[in-house]
């Protein structure tokens, strides 16, 4: 069974640009969560989607947005990029309808974004 | 506001040592406490998890100790090996709420 797939793995953008990251969850998993990982802050929750609906949102500005498609694939978008947005963005899926709090999260390898 | 506080930030031990990672939480609604292990270039992977109805859980060389009254839990790695060198994250959540992570601890096990 294929794992969580994230694309692109690496990307470089400049300030003010926007970026879209993609996540394909494990087949059959309907809950998808996104996390931002930085050396200073660790793993910070961005948002969680289940059946195309956002169920939870972290404390990030409105420049960070996401969506989920009917096939459970998810995308996140960051507009008007800032230097501080440089991070590893991780996607995780779980098969459980209860979401991340009820069982194991399966993480992808992440998309490493560098903002110059 | 850091809902899960993790310490230390980094630790270096010799092979065979017993590193201990501590975490504390504030929200008494939390009822699921997993630990994730992350190797460089990889996403975190679930290592072991515990719920508050037990005070200790052991899986192989990894043991979680849980103190509900103190709102603290810790991970012990027995007979640590160089292959255990990784970053370890504690986390907590309650029901369908978001999973919140500690800031992580980088463990180095020297041969």
């Amino acid at each position: 069974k294929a794992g969580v797939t994230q694309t692109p793995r690496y990307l470089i953008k400049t300030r003010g640009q926007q970026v879209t990251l993609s996540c394909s969850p494990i087949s059959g998993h309907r809950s998808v969560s996104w996390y931002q990982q930085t050396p200073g802050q660790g793993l910070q929750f961005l948002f969680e989607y289940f059946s195309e609906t956002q169920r939870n949102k972290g404390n990030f500005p409105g420049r960070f947005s996401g969506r989920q498609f009917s096939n459970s694939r998810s995308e996140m978008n960051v507009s008007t990029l800032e230097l501080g947005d440089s991070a590893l963005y991780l996607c995780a899926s779980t098969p459980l309808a209860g979401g991340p709090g009820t069982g194991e999260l399966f993480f992808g390898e992440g998309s490493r974004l560098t903002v110059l | 506001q850091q809902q899960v506080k993790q310490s230390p930030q980094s630790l270096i031990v010799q092979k065979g040592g017993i590193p201990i990672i501590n975490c504390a939480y504030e929200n008494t609604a939390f009822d699921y406490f997993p630990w994730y292990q992350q190797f460089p270039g990889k996403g975190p992977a679930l290592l072991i998890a515990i719920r508050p109805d037990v005070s200790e859980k052991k899986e192989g060389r990894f043991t979680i100790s849980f103190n509900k009254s103190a709102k603290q839990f810790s991970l012990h790695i027995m007979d640590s090996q160089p292959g255990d060198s990784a970053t370890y994250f504690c986390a907590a959540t309650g029901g369908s709420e978001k999973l919140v992570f500690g800031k992580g601890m980088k463990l180095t096990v020297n041969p």
Side-chain angles (χ1 to χ4, degrees):
Chain A
K1 205 173 194 181
V4 176
T5 304
Q6 292 189 246
T7 57
R9 290 292 314 279
Y10 303 92
L11 65 166
I12 300 174
K13 293 286 186 178
T14 56
R15 279 182 298 174
Q17 287 187 309
Q18 67 97 24
V19 66
T20 299
L21 309 177
S22 180
C23 171
S24 293
I26 293 172
S27 178
H29 288 197
R30 294 166 61 194
S31 169
V32 174
S33 301
W34 287 89
Y35 287 84
Q36 181 195 64
Q37 184 175 14
T38 58
Q41 296 300 316
L43 286 159
Q44 292 191 289
F45 174 79
L46 281 157
F47 22 66
E48 186 234 342
Y49 289 87
F50 180 80
S51 292
E52 302 178 67
T53 301
Q54 187 180 87
R55 287 203 296 198
N56 259 312
K57 191 176 189 304
N59 297 323
F60 278 83
R63 301 185 295 107
F64 292 80
S65 63
R67 59 178 175 169
Q68 185 181 33
F69 302 95
S70 58
N71 61 358
S72 293
R73 191 177 69 84
S74 178
E75 288 182 349
M76 67 163 283
N77 183 277
V78 188
S79 63
T80 319
L81 284 166
E82 301 177 0
L83 295 178
D85 297 333
S86 295
L88 180 67
Y89 290 88
L90 290 161
C91 169
S93 70
T94 177
L96 302 170
T102 53
E104 181 175 0
L105 279 179
F106 294 82
F107 282 87
E109 295 188 331
S111 293
R112 184 164 295 282
L113 170 66
T114 301
V115 182
L116 302 176
Chain B
Q1 181 186 1
Q2 190 74 23
Q3 294 193 56
V4 179
K5 295 183 179 178
Q6 184 173 351
S7 63
Q9 287 186 306
S10 63
L11 189 60
I12 300 174
V13 300
Q14 294 299 119
K15 177 183 174 182
I18 306 175
I20 300 172
I21 312 168
N22 300 299
C23 286
Y25 64 97
E26 297 289 331
N27 191 339
T28 55
F30 287 158
D31 63 359
Y32 177 67
F33 303 88
W35 286 87
Y36 281 77
Q37 179 189 54
Q38 184 179 30
F39 293 105
K42 301 293 185 183
L46 181 66
L47 187 63
I48 185 172
I50 196 168
R51 294 196 183 270
D53 52 343
V54 296
S55 60
E56 186 175 281
K57 182 175 181 179
K58 183 180 292 188
E59 287 187 4
R61 295 182 294 106
F62 300 91
T63 299
I64 300 179
S65 297
F66 188 84
N67 186 329
K68 187 175 181 179
S69 60
K71 292 187 285 185
Q72 295 175 347
F73 57 111
S74 59
L75 177 71
H76 296 60
I77 305 175
M78 309 301 290
D79 187 28
S80 59
Q81 302 296 312
D84 296 330
S85 296
T87 299
Y88 293 82
F89 294 92
C90 61
T93 188
S96 61
E97 293 300 312
K98 61 186 180 183
L99 188 64
V100 290
F101 287 84
K103 291 192 176 183
M105 189 211 75
K106 183 177 181 180
L107 173 66
T108 303
V109 181
N110 289 326

